[in-house]
Amino acid sequence: MSPERYQRINQMLDQRQLDLTLCLENVHKQHNLAAVVRSADAVGVHDVHAVWHCKKSRISGGTALGSQNWVRVHKHRSIDDALQTIKQQGMQIVVTHLSDSAVDFREIDYTRPTAILLGQEKYGVSEQALAAADQQVVIPMLGMVQSLNVSVAGAVMLYEAQRQRQLAGMYQRPQLSEAERQRVLFEGGFP
Amino acid sequence: MSPERYQRINQMLDQRQLDLTLCLENVHKQHNLAAVVRSADAVGVHDVHAVWHCKKSRISGGTALGSQNWVRVHKHRSIDDALQTIKQQGMQIVVTHLSDSAVDFREIDYTRPTAILLGQEKYGVSEQALAAADQQVVIPMLGMVQSLNVSVAGAVMLYEAQRQRQLAGMYQRPQLSEAERQRVLFEGGFP
Ligand SMILES: C[S@@+](CC[C@H](N)C(=O)[O-])C[C@H]1O[C@@H](n2cnc3c(N)ncnc32)[C@H](O)[C@@H]1O
Ligand SMILES: C[S@@+](CC[C@H](N)C(=O)[O-])C[C@H]1O[C@@H](n2cnc3c(N)ncnc32)[C@H](O)[C@@H]1O
């Protein structure tokens, strides 16, 4: 690995936000999964959780642009399984949901340890996810269409988190353990 | 048309931002075009400009969720043609571009009449577009991947504009002419 690449990866790892994650509940279209993981990488998310009923879903191919090598995608067999993992990490669970009881997404404090839950393309999030939510949030919709594309909604959420975390100086405080840093440098540095 | 639907459409039209537009330069993947127009509708954009070299591109199908009925897509044969139309309307041209000379996208005042230009999936924006730009902007990338998906980048830009315009009370000031209102009510109300 060149010294430049070594430095580039270390710099990226210094900015990784271990206490910001996404949970994808049955999001299944390849291009959406790819776009979400790509946005996650861009704002410094290190871990993404995904629940898939359908076995063949996975993140691969062109449009992820290699981000799947830099973001760890943890697969779960059920939403309960995923939620339990996230709760054990002491994160607030922010569920995106198009309902009247949801608050504007900008009202949330994303500098706290936070998991953002995104729902399925057609059916949205499940009852279990809503029951586990600390907050239900909605991105304002001022037009005729009811919902945004899921990867778009994910990115709008993530960039609000990025804005708040940048203001709070959170990208200046490295969070990664030395062991995890070495793992990524080893696996990502020599593909 | 039911009174509820009539009211719903009028309410939407009251919030349309005639002085905020997108210009898509050869964005060609169906799912990206659909997602962009859907986001445009959601933040109250009334007109979108699109340049297509390839004849068969158009916005249709499931994932646009009907937003193409509510957002006018103006097709142009060349980027110069599109830029000329936009300039005649007195808009600042904000070009999204991954370069060191680009400023952070949040530094721009989107309450001014603004056209946001998005580039092609693979090659980005053209030299002509850069030459015509009043501003070059970039959405910060803190990970390893170089760029965001184009529909994701479009939505992040649009929701920053929405945030600023909401704060400025611009969604409380109807802009649409009576003739245009009647056209949309007629065409959209009775599909
Ligand atoms: C296409 S939407 C699902 C629509 C579904 N009919 C519903 O009512 O939930 C897919 C996912 O995108 C996200 N999403 C879309 N638009 C959103 C918005 N305006 N606010 C928050 N999340 C949104 C949510 O995660 C949602 O579960
Ligand atoms: C996939 S990118 C094009 C990448 C191309 N290799 C380049 O260097 O321009 C497609 C379009 O998405 C938008 N885009 C993607 N990431 C962006 C970012 N971080 N900031 C601003 N615009 C972005 C721009 O409009 C860009 O032209």
Side-chain angles (χ1 to χ4, degrees), chain A residues 27 96-98 117-125 137-141 146-151 153-154 157, chain B residues 38 65 159:
Chain A
V27 175
T96 54
H97 188 48
L98 298 147
L117 197 141
L118 298 170
Q120 206 252 0
E121 284 87 347
K122 190 151 185 186
Y123 302 108
V125 299
V137 299
V138 65
I139 301 164
M141 302 288 298
Q146 196 220 358
S147 65
L148 298 168
N149 165 282
V150 62
S151 70
M157 295 288 299
Chain B
R38 198 167 154 187
L65 285 191
Y159 271 95

Side-chain angles (χ1 to χ4, degrees), chain A residues 5 8-9 12 15-16 29 31 35 38-39 41-44 63-67 70 104-106 121 139-152 155-156 159-160 162-163 166 171, chain B residues 5 8-9 12 15-16 29 31 35 38-39 41-44 63-67 70 104-106 121 139-152 155-156 159-160 162-163 166 171:
Chain A
R5 185 162 169 83
R8 167 99 174 82
I9 300 177
M12 176 276 288
Q15 303 194 71
R16 270 341 202 198
K29 289 191 189 168
H31 60 83
R38 198 166 153 188
S39 304
D41 172 71
V43 302
T63 49
L65 285 192
S67 54
W70 303 104
D104 188 292
F105 77 109
R106 295 189 181 105
E121 284 87 347
I139 301 164
M141 302 288 298
L142 309 167
M144 288 300 284
V145 173
Q146 196 220 358
S147 65
L148 298 168
N149 165 282
V150 62
S151 70
V152 156
V156 172
Y159 271 95
E160 174 62 18
Q162 184 270 340
R163 188 184 71 80
Q166 187 175 48
Y171 289 100
Chain B
R5 188 165 167 80
R8 167 98 175 79
I9 299 177
M12 175 278 285
Q15 302 193 71
R16 275 334 206 202
K29 290 190 189 170
H31 61 84
R38 198 167 154 187
S39 304
D41 172 71
V43 302
T63 48
L65 285 191
S67 55
W70 303 105
D104 188 293
F105 76 110
R106 294 189 183 106
E121 284 88 347
I139 301 165
M141 302 291 296
L142 308 167
M144 288 301 283
V145 172
Q146 196 220 358
S147 66
L148 298 169
N149 165 281
V150 62
S151 70
V152 156
V156 171
Y159 271 95
E160 174 61 17
Q162 184 270 340
R163 188 183 72 79
Q166 187 173 50
Y171 289 100

Side-chain angles (χ1 to χ4, degrees), chain B residues 80-177:
Chain B
D80 291 327
D81 187 21
L83 289 167
Q84 202 188 332
T85 305
I86 292 166
K87 286 216 159 161
Q88 272 164 5
Q89 295 172 15
M91 304 218 183
Q92 64 172 338
I93 297 177
V94 177
V95 174
T96 55
H97 188 50
L98 298 146
S99 92
D100 291 338
S101 54
V103 302
D104 188 293
F105 76 110
R106 294 189 183 106
E107 286 175 27
I108 304 299
D109 177 1
Y110 298 97
T111 65
R112 289 177 52 196
T114 301
I116 297 167
L117 197 142
L118 298 170
Q120 207 253 1
E121 284 88 347
K122 190 151 184 185
Y123 301 107
V125 299
S126 67
E127 288 302 323
Q128 288 108 296
L130 288 176
D134 296 298
Q135 302 275 1
Q136 284 181 33
V137 299
V138 65
I139 301 165
M141 302 291 296
L142 308 167
M144 288 301 283
V145 172
Q146 196 220 358
S147 66
L148 298 169
N149 165 281
V150 62
S151 70
V152 156
V156 171
M157 295 288 298
L158 286 173
Y159 271 95
E160 174 61 17
Q162 184 270 340
R163 188 183 72 79
Q164 293 186 13
R165 285 174 173 247
Q166 187 173 50
L167 278 176
M170 292 176 75
Y171 289 100
Q172 263 88 61
R173 283 178 237 134
Q175 296 183 0
L176 220 62
S177 71

Side-chain angles (χ1 to χ4, degrees), chain A residues 18-36:
Chain A
L18 296 181
D19 55 354
L20 177 64
T21 189
L22 283 180
C23 180
L24 311 176
E25 192 180 13
N26 292 312
V27 175
H28 68 276
K29 289 191 189 168
Q30 284 301 318
H31 60 83
N32 287 335
L33 288 165
V36 167

